[in-house]
Amino acid sequence: MPRSNRPRRNASGSRSGGNGGKWSEPVPELDLERARSGIARRESAPDGDWMVRTMTAKKAEKQYICPGCSTAILPGIAHLVVWSDSHLFGQAAGLAERRHWHTNCWTSRTYRYR
């Protein structure tokens, strides 16, 4: 007789096992900031297409120089990691030339080109 892949249910309609298991545990609340921090978003600007990823203060462990203001981004300061998505030599070259920006420097940079 072939094996049945359907879950077995008892008369009450709940899953077999009776003692709860993983289905009776409460689901933890989703931390949106943590989920969003590792995902890069695409931004289009007059100077090209950019991939922007948020670096949280907890993950910022090294010191960088912001190309917008030429000052240091110290460890523990939230900032943005930015790379070109429309690089002349492809996406890998754009990723290799990524830069760390202060959030305010990145958002105000487009006003310099107007």
Side-chain angles (χ1 to χ4, degrees):
M1 173 179 235
R3 189 177 122 214
S4 173
N5 288 330
R6 289 189 296 165
R8 305 214 185 270
R9 299 188 184 271
N10 57 15
S12 66
S14 64
R15 294 187 182 270
S16 61
N19 59 357
K22 68 179 183 178
W23 301 107
S24 65
E25 296 174 4
V27 177
E29 188 173 328
L30 179 63
D31 184 8
L32 290 176
E33 197 60 38
R34 181 174 173 234
R36 205 175 310 145
S37 66
I39 300 172
R41 64 184 183 276
R42 182 185 314 263
E43 290 186 10
S44 294
D47 56 347
D49 294 328
W50 300 92
M51 296 300 289
V52 180
R53 186 177 69 210
T54 303
M55 182 68 68
T56 62
K58 185 185 245 183
K59 290 182 130 188
E61 299 173 347
K62 293 169 53 179
Q63 180 174 336
Y64 301 97
I65 301 296
C66 174
C69 62
S70 300
T71 59
I73 302 172
L74 299 174
I77 302 291
H79 61 279
L80 300 174
V81 181
V82 180
W83 64 93
S84 176
D85 193 41
S86 57
H87 196 277
L88 180 64
F89 298 113
Q91 290 180 340
L95 185 61
E97 293 180 3
R98 65 186 177 270
R99 297 291 176 253
H100 295 252
W101 288 69
H102 290 112
T103 306
N104 195 31
C105 293
W106 176 253
T107 55
S108 63
R109 88 188 192 304
T110 56
Y111 297 109
R112 295 180 190 156
Y113 299 113
R114 291 183 184 175

